[in-house]
Amino acid sequence: MPTYEYNCKSCGANFEVFIKSADKNSVTCPECRSRSLQEVYKFNLNKGSSPASACDICPSAQGGMG
């Protein structure tokens, strides 16, 4: 099961839940019980590589743009 991070639009709380994808629509804020939530998306661009090599594929790093 994946972990999802949410931001409550009502009270501003940030929290994570460990649930099945199918249950994503039943999440409520643990602080105010609101269902007005926004999922927080995180991107790990450096997964499995060092920060210096992460941009080796960028066109600007190869002198292709700019």
Side-chain angles (χ1 to χ4, degrees):
M1 278 189 287
T3 300
Y4 295 96
E5 184 175 345
Y6 289 95
N7 183 17
C8 180
K9 293 180 182 179
S10 296
C11 72
N14 267 1
F15 61 96
E16 293 181 348
V17 288
F18 183 69
I19 56 170
K20 294 186 282 188
S21 313
D23 295 337
K24 285 175 60 173
N25 293 330
S26 64
V27 176
T28 58
C29 174
E31 298 292 325
C32 70
R33 298 291 179 215
S34 173
R35 293 186 97 168
S36 180
L37 307 173
Q38 180 172 359
E39 188 172 349
V40 177
Y41 295 97
K42 293 182 179 179
F43 299 98
N44 186 356
L45 298 177
N46 297 323
K47 187 175 183 178
S49 65
S50 67
S53 66
C55 283
D56 289 345
I57 61 170
C58 298
S60 60
Q62 298 172 356
M65 292 182 73

